[in-house]
Amino acid sequence: MGSLFRSEEVCLAQLFLQSASAYSCISELGELGLLEFRDLNPKVSPFQRRFVGEVRRCEEMEKTFTFLQQELRGAGRVLGPCPESPRAPVAREALRVQEQSEQLAQELREVTRNRASLRGRLRDLRQYLHVLREGQRFTSLPAPLGSPPRPRALSEREPILDPSLHQHLERKINFVAGVIHPWRVTAFERLLWRACRGYLVASFVEMPEPMEDPATGESITWVIFLISYWGEQIGQKIRKISDCFHCQVYPYPESEASRTDTITGLHSQIQDLSVVLEETEQYLAQVLDKVALALPTWRVQVQKMKAIYLVLNQCSFDVTEKCLIAEVWCPVQDLTQVQDALRQGSYQSGSSVECFVQRVPTSESPPTLIRTNKFTAGFQSIVDAYGVASYQEVNPAPYAIITFPFIFAIMFGDVGHGLLMFLFALWMVLYEDSPCLRQGTNEIWLTFFDGRYLILLMGAFSIYTGFIYNECFSKATAIFPSAWSVATMANHSSWSSAYLATHPSLTLDPNVTGVFRGPYPFGIDPIWSLATNHLNFLNSFKMKMSVVLGIVHMGFGVVLGVFNHVHFQQRHRLVLEFLPEMIFLLALFGYLVFLIFYKWIKFSAVDSLVAPSILIHFIDMFLFTSNAENLPLYPGQVPVQMVLVVLALASVPVLLLGTPLYLWCRQRLTAGAVSVQPVATGEQEPLLEGQEAGNSVNATKEDVESGGHSPDAKHLDFAEIFMHQAIHTIEYCLGCVSNTASYLRLWALSLAHAQLSEVLWTMVMRNGFVGLSYVGGVVLVPVFAAFAVLTVAILLVMEGLSAFLHALRLHWVEFQNKFYVGAGYKLCPFAFAPDTWE
């Protein structure tokens, strides 16, 4: 709880690392993840640092790993995370990793190249085979067995090379055969006709089976073409056009015997190539198995090794270059663990001299370290989004664990809606270890998942406030019997039949004995949901509740500033700032809370008609007057109010001038005391008070609320101090007025949520139950579906987000600015990140 209440004590330390054991020591510190290293070579470029060669070697190995991973993805394999976190490799092991990875990459390149060559060759042979087979249909037509030859008339369907037609051929016929992409067939045919002027016969037919396109890798059905022509010039034109259209042209034998021999040879070659390709695929699978087994571990090791060398590049060398010196920010309570890690690193490297850590004083403001767990991380993220806490100032996160869900629930009070939100968050909490929930790629989903405990509490508090408001999907529930008795009112009043016929609305008078039997046990009485003045009653109740809660919340924020003043030893601020701030807040707005409770207690239903208006009394309080028509709440009210206003006004100059005048007087006294003390020749003052005693950076005791100026500094800029105090005074005094009004958003959003929920119920579900008559039961299913979708989309998502943003604003502006500066920066320790390889 100490770390959550305020940041831990952090000190500046120096690490003295032997050159032989520096790598092992940094590896051990990276596994701990406690230290933030500072760059001691800020003016040295990354290419001139000592370990730039090792960093480049790690980058070369990462390039090799990238190639291996791309090959795995190309083979359809998904590389999983590393099953365990290996240690950073030593030099010999790193060399082995580099050699093995480069050897596997070389094998993959060769096997992949051979496989691509075999596939291309096999694809060409199969295409050639299909070309010859389809060409047989155009160039030969075998006669049926046993049929005698008979003369036939010439026809366009006769085969071109039929022996019976040789007598009609006066010229030699040549052929061009090949395959073409189906998208280019039309243009190819048109250009052939125009260029060759019809001195050819072209036939096109689709290939029986689809094949891979070597350019895109897609599977397409190629088109086989066979072109017969007369004349060598026409043949040259056809070949040039085929080249322009990227056609694959194959030699076409003239005789049928040659084509038959070629087809037989192609079958033999395809079978041999298929066997070789299958063996190549098996060998490639074996190599990929080796890569998939070793790559996750290798890449984690190289990432750690690269991170270590980058840290070593931030260190400086002593004169002898046998020792590295590093400066780190370290939590004070973890110094022992750091020393143990250095001792372990020295032992593993075999160094005879141990490395050690030593604290050094500094005037710099240390980074902020607040340790969180999976429950408090979401609330701490809300605070850090406003600004990281200054070093060791009060952290608002532990108080936001209660106040944030509660303020949200005031605006979102509904049992049904809160229960749905609670169940959704409970599901995320119960299955938080599921990889499918943690490793999502949707940013909105990850935001919900990270804030699952916050949503869980918001839902639980909304259920509580829903019972207070007695609302469940805008409908009241009668958990206990109503405290109002209609029967008693009817028996003891003048409600006649004629009166009932002329008055659709009846008034229950609590002054009649037995009509009101006391307050409802818990929350709002359900009979108010039937009253015509239901909204007026809730308006008054929720508005006063918002003012009371707002002033209590702001007062608590002012009280938290006391812990900052005491911790930083600025006790003068307790009198000069905290006291006038509390007087101003309580004398004006605390008195308003008193009037609200006093009126609730003093006036009952009997004298409610003569009850005075609190708002008029509060206005008269600032005008130093009284209103004869508005009776006083208690005797002597006007003098008391005048005294309170005078106290509030008197606290303003104290708040404005108190701290600057105190610091000025203290500066004068300190300067006079220093001028009297003699200073010995050759002696120097310590840079920090208490430095000789070995104090840490806390010896400066910086004032986080005055821009980092120390009250013990010798040269104070009083103009800056006065300007800062004037801004703070104006902001606080005006903020007390505007912030109190700002808390009325609790009232407004609560009423808006209730009214929107009631409208949704009336316009959707009520029509399904009442307005649809006998068909209502059938139509109720889609009606309820629409009601459920609108409830989730509007009331849960949109209204929930609106209430969340308003609660966020109330914490950032109205609460945290009373004590929280948020001008710090986080401690970013050097730690080996999880596997984030892309």
Side-chain angles (χ1 to χ4, degrees), residues 481-642:
S482 176
W484 292 82
S485 175
V486 180
T488 305
M489 185 69 190
N491 295 331
H492 297 81
S493 65
S494 58
W495 287 359
S496 62
S497 299
Y499 182 84
L500 295 176
T502 57
H503 291 78
S505 298
L506 302 175
T507 302
L508 299 180
D509 188 359
N511 294 320
V512 177
T513 304
V515 174
F516 182 69
R517 297 189 296 267
Y520 192 67
F522 187 81
I524 304 296
D525 197 305
I527 201 172
W528 279 106
S529 62
L530 306 175
T532 56
N533 59 341
H534 172 60
L535 193 58
N536 294 334
F537 168 73
L538 288 183
N539 264 336
S540 176
F541 168 73
K542 292 184 178 181
M543 180 176 63
K544 294 176 181 178
M545 175 193 66
S546 302
V547 172
V548 171
L549 293 177
I551 294 173
V552 171
H553 198 212
M554 290 190 297
F556 179 64
V558 176
V559 172
L560 287 179
V562 174
F563 297 96
N564 282 332
H565 304 330
V566 173
H567 177 78
F568 295 108
Q569 297 184 3
Q570 299 163 356
R571 301 186 183 277
H572 63 279
R573 291 198 165 191
L574 296 175
V575 179
L576 300 178
E577 291 188 12
F578 167 72
L579 190 58
E581 285 177 354
M582 289 299 296
I583 291 175
F584 185 86
L585 180 65
L586 297 180
L588 299 181
F589 302 99
Y591 178 69
L592 177 61
V593 175
F594 166 75
L595 292 182
I596 293 174
F597 281 99
Y598 186 82
K599 183 179 178 180
W600 280 345
I601 295 173
K602 182 177 180 181
F603 295 93
S604 63
V606 178
D607 51 358
S608 60
L609 297 178
V610 298
S613 172
I614 296 178
L615 182 60
I616 296 178
H617 275 304
F618 198 61
I619 295 174
D620 293 339
M621 176 179 174
F622 291 95
L623 299 177
F624 292 96
T625 59
S626 61
N627 193 336
E629 298 180 357
N630 196 41
L631 300 178
L633 287 168
Y634 57 89
Q637 180 179 357
V638 175
V640 170
Q641 294 180 164
M642 295 176 62

Side-chain angles (χ1 to χ4, degrees), residues 771-800:
L772 298 177
S773 185
Y774 61 91
V775 297
V778 179
V779 185
L780 193 59
V781 174
V783 167
F784 177 77
F787 173 78
V789 171
L790 292 175
T791 298
V792 173
I794 298 177
L795 295 178
L796 287 183
V797 178
M798 294 179 60
E799 281 285 318

Side-chain angles (χ1 to χ4, degrees), residues 188 236-247 249:
F188 179 61
Q236 293 178 2
K237 287 184 179 181
I238 293 174
R239 290 184 177 87
K240 289 180 180 180
I241 294 174
S242 300
D243 292 339
C244 292
F245 280 87
H246 303 284
C247 301
V249 180

Side-chain angles (χ1 to χ4, degrees), residues 645-670:
V645 173
V646 171
L647 284 176
L649 295 177
S651 63
V652 175
V654 177
L655 183 61
L656 176 63
L657 303 174
T659 299
L661 291 179
Y662 171 81
L663 295 178
W664 181 76
C665 295
R666 185 172 179 178
Q667 169 71 15
R668 295 290 300 273
L669 294 176
T670 304

